[in-house]
């Protein structure tokens, strides 16, 4: 099947010239001190959850603080991410398609996953230009020494290395049986409880406690408290900081803190929405109270579209699909950015931005460097974010689900080669004999594909095709790192 898919993709693409090269130079923001950066990255938080995106009270929990944040900054309607947790975080941290780093899919077969030391991450880039960096929350880019956040550029970390569904394991009798067997025999060493860790750069990570259901309830409270303490310390030190907050909500199991349990009166989802809004409000209040609001870039976004597991399902607003699909409900998530006096207040844009574009943008603003010794997919969005131009500069990108190319998005059109009927690959994978084309203005839910029978719209392939062929040429020029690659790693072309 893979050969057939590759043949079909190539047949539908236009031939372009050789590989992609990126030689951007970081440019510091003239006349300003380096801004602080607070980046909230929710987990499986759908496009339609917030009030300012059509949710809020419609979903059982008001979100007034985040809705107000949207009026104070710019809100994007077409901010796109990778379709799974690990690839999404890899793309954000490196400015590269996750497949390039060996993290195109969530780790199911190898325990040795995550970013190699060769990758140059956002916190490393910011640390190199004087920032203090901290991460509190879910990493999902490595679960062993050498691949923790404090091995990848963060000065401090409190949180979990993997995923929140692992909090369900400790309460299972069968899991405990096989966990003990693994301990006794030395076999199946990854059958073990996940833990919350605390770490500082240069020292081994320390186990804090088992990440079980009671810990799952309160970890986002703890993350918020760590964040406020970090900002207070950095404000006193008068040093720019990068605070990355990958919260664990709303990844299943969706359980509110005891503080918010029952608060909405509309069930756990409403409670959790109120919790998310309140914690964001606390962070905004801390920024204001420390007197650093005018020089702090504050971002609220998500790693993936909404959950698809019955009982925990999220909401994608006007779009269809959940994460683990190539549909808009997987790709589009909320994105709000505030930087008083610099980012336009109250602006709403439908321009395409991809999460890996934050790398080059942050580098420009902070005076960091974008590597030129590897392919970088990130585009500098500084002028777009600052309101100096209306266009983002990105006209599309390749749609991956795991390590497979599912299609291409170009302006408001999509050319799709395959699609899952349900999220998490739970439905049938439909591989189309000819690509399906969608116009997202007239068909936002991707319900009425244009195919050969209605070929009047097949001109769209000449917009989508070049994006794909350019990307494929870049993969040939710089082969992706293989999943499970161990350190030390040096690309073959640099190892000659």
């Amino acid at each position: 099947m893979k050969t057939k898919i590759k043949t079909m993709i190539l047949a539908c693409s236009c031939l372009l010239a050789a590989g992609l090269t990126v030689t951007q130079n970081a440019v510091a923001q003239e006349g300003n001190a380096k801004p602080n950066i607070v980046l909230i990255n929710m987990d499986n938080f759908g496009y339609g959850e917030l009030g300012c995106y059509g949710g809020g009270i419609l979903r059982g929990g008001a979100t007034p603080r985040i809705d107000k944040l949207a009026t104070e900054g710019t809100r994007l309607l077409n901010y796109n991410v990778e379709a799974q947790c690990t690839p999404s975080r890899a793309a954000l941290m490196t400015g590269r398609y996750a497949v390039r780093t060996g993290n195109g899919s969530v780790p199911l077969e190898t325990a040795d996953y995550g970013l190699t030391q060769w990758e140059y991450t956002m916190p490393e880039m910011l640390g190199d230009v004087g920032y203090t960096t901290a991460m509190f929350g879910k990493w999902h880019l490595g679960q062993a020494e050498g691949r923790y956040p404090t091995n990848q550029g963060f000065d401090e970390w409190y949180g979990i290395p993997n995923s929140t569904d692992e909090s369900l394991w400790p309460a299972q009798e069968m899991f405990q049986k096989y966990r003990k067997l693994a301990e006794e025999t030395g076999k199946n060493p990854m059958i073990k409880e996940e833990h919350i860790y605390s770490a500082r750069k240069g020292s081994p990570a320390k186990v804090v406690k088992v990440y079980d259901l009671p810990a799952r309830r309160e970890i986002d409270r703890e993350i918020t408290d760590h964040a406020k303490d970090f900002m207070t310390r950095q404000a006193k030190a008068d040093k720019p900081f990068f605070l990355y907050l990958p919260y664990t909500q709303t990844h299943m199991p969706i359980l509110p803190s005891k503080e918010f349990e029952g608060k909405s009166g509309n069930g756990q989802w409403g409670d959790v929405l109120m919790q998310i809004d309140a914690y964001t409000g606390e962070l905004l209040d801390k920024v204001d109270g420390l007197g650093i609001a005018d020089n702090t870039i504050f971002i609220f976004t998500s790693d993936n579209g909404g959950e698809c597991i019955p009982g925990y399902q999220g909401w994608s607003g006007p779009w269809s699909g959940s994460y683990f699909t190539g549909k808009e409900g997987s790709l589009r998530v909320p994105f709000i950015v505030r930087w008083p006096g610099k980012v336009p207040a109250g602006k709403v844009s439908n321009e395409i931005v991809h999460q890996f574009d934050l790398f080059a943008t942050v580098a420009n603003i902070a005076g960091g460097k974008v590597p030129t010794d590897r392919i970088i997919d990130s585009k500098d969005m500084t002028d777009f974010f600052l309101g100096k131009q209306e266009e983002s500069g990105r006209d599309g990108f390749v749609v991956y689900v795991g390590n497979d190319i599912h299609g291409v998005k170009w302006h408001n059109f999509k050319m799709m080669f395959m699609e899952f009927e349900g999220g998490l690959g739970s439905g049938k994978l439909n591989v189309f004999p000819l690509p399906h084309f969608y116009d997202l203005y007239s068909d936002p839910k991707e319900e009425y594909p244009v195919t050969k029978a209605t070929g009047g719209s097949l001109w769209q392939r000449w917009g989508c095709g070049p994006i794909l062929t350019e990307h494929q040429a870049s993969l040939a020029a710089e082969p992706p790192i293989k999943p499970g690659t161990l350190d030390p790693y040096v690309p073959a072309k640099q190892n000659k």
Side-chain angles (χ1 to χ4, degrees):
M1 179 178 286
K2 287 190 175 180
T3 302
K4 178 181 177 182
I5 292 169
K6 289 180 179 178
T7 301
M8 178 185 67
I9 291 174
L10 289 171
C12 294
S13 304
C14 302
L15 293 176
L16 286 183
L20 180 70
T21 56
V22 178
T23 56
Q24 293 166 298
N25 292 316
V27 180
Q29 194 68 23
E30 297 181 2
N32 291 293
K34 295 181 186 298
N36 307 306
I37 303 165
V38 178
L39 173 53
I40 294 176
N41 197 31
M42 304 304 299
D43 197 359
N44 300 348
F45 190 72
Y47 182 97
E49 302 296 356
L50 299 172
C52 56
Y53 282 88
I57 57 173
L58 193 66
R59 292 286 282 152
T63 56
R65 294 303 304 271
I66 302 175
D67 296 345
K68 184 173 184 291
L69 176 67
T71 68
E72 298 169 343
T74 292
R75 176 164 58 97
L76 301 185
L77 305 182
N78 208 341
Y79 176 79
N80 298 265
V81 298
E82 300 255 15
Q84 301 175 13
C85 294
T86 294
S88 176
R89 292 152 197 271
L92 178 65
M93 288 290 106
T94 65
R96 289 151 51 85
Y97 281 106
V99 70
R100 298 194 194 280
T101 71
N103 292 280
S105 178
V106 293
L108 297 175
E109 299 175 357
T110 175
D112 300 315
Y113 81 101
L115 299 174
T116 64
Q117 288 291 320
W118 178 78
E119 295 293 342
Y120 188 61
T121 66
M122 187 182 294
E124 287 177 314
M125 176 262 291
L126 290 169
D128 285 345
V129 291
Y131 278 73
T132 302
T133 61
M135 178 196 145
F136 306 119
K138 170 185 169 178
W139 178 232
H140 219 177
L141 286 173
Q143 57 182 348
E145 289 292 347
R147 300 221 167 157
Y148 288 141
T150 43
N151 306 127
Q152 303 287 0
F154 286 104
D155 294 312
E156 55 186 277
W157 168 50
Y158 180 92
I160 56 174
N162 294 327
S163 186
T164 287
D165 55 284
E166 294 185 23
S167 66
L168 291 163
W169 297 359
Q172 298 176 24
E173 182 178 351
M174 193 64 71
F175 165 78
Q176 291 296 347
K177 171 185 174 181
Y178 284 96
R179 181 189 64 80
K180 292 177 182 178
L181 185 63
E183 288 181 351
E184 293 169 358
T185 64
K187 296 180 179 179
N188 308 113
M190 297 315 299
I191 299 179
K192 61 181 181 180
E193 295 162 330
E194 184 173 15
H195 292 82
I196 295 174
Y197 288 84
S198 177
R200 296 271 180 167
K201 183 184 291 186
S203 299
K206 297 179 180 179
V207 171
V208 176
K209 57 187 171 183
V210 171
Y211 189 47
D212 55 13
L213 289 177
R216 190 275 170 278
R217 282 188 180 273
E218 304 304 332
I219 188 170
D220 282 8
R221 170 74 273 169
E222 295 173 357
I223 289 169
T224 306
D225 291 340
H226 278 279
K228 292 191 294 183
D229 174 68
F230 173 78
M231 287 193 287
T232 300
R233 286 187 277 120
Q234 297 315 307
K236 289 181 180 178
D238 195 26
K239 187 176 180 180
F241 64 81
F242 171 48
L243 174 58
Y244 176 48
L245 292 170
Y247 278 109
T248 66
Q249 295 289 3
T250 49
H251 194 292
M252 64 80 68
I254 299 159
L255 299 172
S257 165
K258 291 292 185 182
E259 177 185 4
F260 287 88
E261 189 172 23
K263 193 164 186 178
S264 71
N266 296 317
Q268 290 183 331
W269 200 278
D271 297 344
V272 165
L273 280 178
M274 294 183 70
Q275 174 180 308
I276 292 167
D277 190 69
Y279 292 169
T280 302
E282 289 183 30
L283 297 171
L284 290 165
D285 289 343
K286 176 58 69 174
V287 167
D288 291 344
L290 292 171
I292 59 174
D294 287 346
N295 200 40
T296 298
I297 300 171
F298 196 105
I299 297 171
F300 182 99
T301 188
S302 174
D303 69 336
N304 297 136
E307 280 281 359
C308 61
I309 297 174
Y312 299 113
Q313 67 274 5
W315 193 41
S316 301
W319 317 111
S320 64
S322 66
Y323 77 138
F324 279 78
T325 75
K327 296 184 177 180
E328 291 300 286
S330 171
L331 304 178
R332 296 203 203 197
V333 296
F335 184 93
I336 301 167
V337 54
R338 184 188 79 170
W339 190 7
K342 296 180 178 64
V343 170
K347 182 176 180 178
V348 180
S349 175
N350 193 43
E351 285 288 298
I352 292 178
V353 176
H354 197 284
Q355 65 187 154
F356 47 53
D357 294 328
L358 292 186
F359 188 95
T361 305
V362 166
N364 187 356
I365 292 171
K369 295 181 179 179
V370 176
T372 58
D373 64 342
R374 67 203 66 190
I375 293 174
I376 298 292
D377 301 293
S378 182
K379 288 182 178 291
D380 181 8
M381 299 283 174
T382 303
D383 287 347
F384 171 65
F385 281 154
L386 298 185
K388 296 179 180 180
Q389 64 185 46
E390 291 301 311
E391 297 78 25
S392 70
R394 175 172 294 285
D395 60 1
F397 57 92
V398 176
V399 177
Y400 275 93
V401 179
N403 291 298
D404 296 324
I405 294 175
H406 275 221
V408 179
K409 183 170 174 177
W410 173 67
H411 290 282
N412 213 59
F413 306 101
K414 292 177 78 174
M415 178 174 71
M416 301 299 294
F417 306 114
M418 66 187 88
E419 186 56 272
F420 284 114
E421 291 180 357
L424 281 177
S426 58
K428 178 183 177 182
L429 176 62
N430 294 321
V431 180
F432 310 133
L434 285 174
H436 284 188
F437 291 86
Y438 299 94
D439 180 341
L440 297 172
Y441 284 135
S442 60
D443 185 17
K445 289 190 175 293
E446 300 168 76
E447 296 173 312
Y448 306 101
V450 174
T451 60
K452 184 178 180 181
T454 51
S457 295
L458 294 187
W459 60 268
Q460 296 164 16
R461 72 188 186 275
W462 301 115
C464 296
I467 295 172
L468 179 60
T469 53
E470 184 178 36
H471 177 68
Q472 289 177 315
S474 77
L475 295 177
E478 183 182 293
I481 299 172
K482 294 180 180 179
T485 295
L486 301 176
D487 290 308
Y489 166 80
V490 178
K493 66 180 181 180
Q494 294 186 17
N495 204 25
K496 294 180 180 179

